[in-house]
Structures are given as structure tokens and as C-alpha cells.
Amino acid sequence: MKKKFNLYCGLLIAAIVFGIGVNMFQTGYYLFQGGKAGIEMAKKERVRGIKRKPLENFQRVSRMTPVEMMPKEDYLMEMNAGDSIVNLKTGEKMPMMTFQGIVLPKDGGKRMLVMQGIGHLSFALIIVFLVAFIKLVIAVNKGRIFEKSMETQLAWGGWAVLGMYLLNWVGTLYNYVLNVQEFEFEAYRLEILQMPDIALLYSGLGMLLMGQIFKIGRNMKEEQELTI
């Protein structure tokens, strides 16, 4: 039984590490491509004698603002107007609807700093969850199932996952509210298209529920021992 339990726990940890690794690789890849493009642009500008401020590119990145939007009804019906994209394989210029994009307003404010701060808090909660989960696995392997430490680790893990879900909503709503305050597009209306993963909510509540089940089991065990 413990072998199967350890196998499932190992698969869960591997899935979490894989998910984090994919996100880190994707972020690193975009940073690499952006840095590469920036170096190439700097070389071309140096040849042409163009001089830029040292922090200009960093300020440009800090102004990058993600937006999610849906076409307005009149634009949706008139497909030949608005945005377009060229299919290089055929040379055909086709109408295109944009649902997600990055805009660069002149003043990006402190939005990206706040979003990065939320991301750092989410990463800290991932660490809390992993520590609680590893302690949980160790406790099960040592046979300390109906102990208070088991309930504590389940509670820490559950609240950490719920915290991640809540922080995702905070970041999503914060970005959306600022977008509504700052932007109004002719053919699109601002929307929230990518919502936080509901699986985080289910997982967090499930861990808290499991903690209460183990607590009830521990109390029943203590009552039986006192009765005997």
C-alpha cells in the first residue's frame, strides 16, 4: 500500500515540478528571444549612429500591458474590416480578430511591478505547499497517520493552494480594472477571458476537508483508547 502511495505522491510532485519548469522555460525563452532581438537592434542602431538612454529598453518592457478583449457585435459581423494578417504560404491577406494582446501605453505606471509581486507571492505559496506535502509523505511512511502533525500539513497545503487561487484572481481583476480605466478600443470590448484554474479551488478545499477527516479519525481513536 505504501509503495502505491509513494508512487502517486511522486507523480504529483513530478507534475508540479514539470508545470513550474515549463513556465520557467517559457519565460526564459521569451527573455532570451527578447534579449537577442534587443542586441541585434542595438547593433543596427550603433551602425546608424542612433543613441538611446541606458534604461530605455527596460522602461519599454515595464510599459508592456496585457489585455484581453472580444470583438464588438458590429465588428464581428463586418469581417473584412479592422485587423488583418498575411498567410506567407499563400500570400493571402485574411481578416483577423484579436482576443489577447500586449499594448505599450506611454505611462505604464507600476502595474508590472505589482503583477511581478503577485507572481513572487504565488511562488512562495508553491514552496509552502511542497514543503507541507513532503512532510505529509514522510509522516505517512513513518506510520504517523492519526497525529496532529498530519492535520497541520494538510491545513498548510490546503491554505497555500487556496492562497494561490486567490492571488490569481487578485492579479486578474487588478489588471482588468486598470485596463477598463485606461483603455477603450473602437472595435473591441475588454473582457476577462482567462480565469484562474478552478482546480486550485477544488484541491485546496479537498485538502482542508481531508485534514478534518483525519482530525475526526484521531479523536475517535483517542476516545477508543480511553474507553479500553
Side-chain angles (χ1 to χ4, degrees):
M1 186 179 294
K2 287 185 178 180
K3 289 184 178 180
K4 187 176 289 187
F5 174 79
N6 290 331
L7 174 63
Y8 291 153
C9 290
L11 289 174
L12 178 58
I13 293 175
I16 294 171
V17 172
F18 176 77
I20 296 173
V22 168
N23 289 335
M24 292 180 65
F25 174 79
Q26 187 179 36
T27 302
Y29 176 77
Y30 289 147
L31 288 174
F32 171 76
Q33 292 296 330
K36 184 179 178 182
I39 292 173
E40 293 296 326
M41 183 180 294
K43 289 180 179 178
K44 292 179 181 178
E45 290 177 347
R46 192 179 299 112
V47 172
R48 290 182 292 178
I50 300 175
K51 294 183 178 180
R52 294 185 180 274
K53 297 178 181 179
L55 296 178
E56 187 170 344
N57 288 332
F58 175 78
Q59 292 171 350
R60 183 173 181 270
V61 172
S62 67
R63 290 189 290 114
M64 295 175 66
T65 302
V67 292
E68 296 179 331
M69 47 200 170
M70 287 290 291
K72 293 179 179 178
E73 286 72 15
D74 53 347
Y75 176 68
L76 187 62
M77 298 302 295
E78 193 178 352
M79 285 294 296
N80 291 325
D83 300 330
S84 61
I85 193 169
V86 177
N87 182 2
L88 294 178
K89 290 187 175 181
T90 62
E92 179 185 4
K93 187 176 183 180
M94 303 173 291
M96 180 186 71
M97 291 185 296
T98 303
F99 293 96
Q100 292 180 319
I102 300 292
V103 297
L104 281 82
K106 290 182 178 180
D107 182 13
K110 297 182 179 180
R111 180 191 304 224
M112 290 306 295
L113 291 176
V114 174
M115 298 293 286
Q116 289 173 359
I118 293 173
H120 293 155
L121 288 175
S122 295
F123 183 75
L125 289 175
I126 291 174
I127 299 300
V128 171
F129 168 79
L130 287 175
V131 171
F133 186 77
I134 291 171
K135 287 185 177 181
L136 191 68
V137 173
I138 293 173
V140 171
N141 280 276
K142 289 184 177 181
R144 301 200 306 263
I145 297 177
F146 293 107
E147 293 185 5
K148 193 172 181 179
S149 61
M150 193 80 163
E151 304 156 21
T152 302
Q153 302 311 325
L154 284 168
W156 274 100
W159 286 117
V161 174
L162 288 178
M164 284 185 271
Y165 181 73
L166 179 62
L167 281 176
N168 285 343
W169 265 116
V170 170
T172 299
L173 293 175
Y174 172 76
N175 189 64
Y176 173 74
V177 169
L178 289 185
N179 284 344
V180 171
Q181 292 176 351
E182 296 176 13
F183 308 124
E184 183 177 356
F185 303 122
E186 180 181 0
Y188 293 90
R189 64 175 183 272
L190 296 167
E191 298 280 353
I192 297 178
L193 300 179
Q194 285 190 341
M195 297 185 182
D197 191 355
I198 195 68
L200 290 174
L201 178 62
Y202 297 153
S203 300
L205 292 175
M207 292 189 72
L208 293 176
L209 178 62
M210 287 296 296
Q212 291 303 306
I213 292 173
F214 276 98
K215 184 176 181 179
I216 293 171
R218 179 172 61 85
N219 291 335
M220 291 176 64
K221 181 183 176 184
E222 291 175 354
E223 289 175 0
Q224 288 178 352
E225 290 174 351
L226 289 174
T227 303
I228 296 173

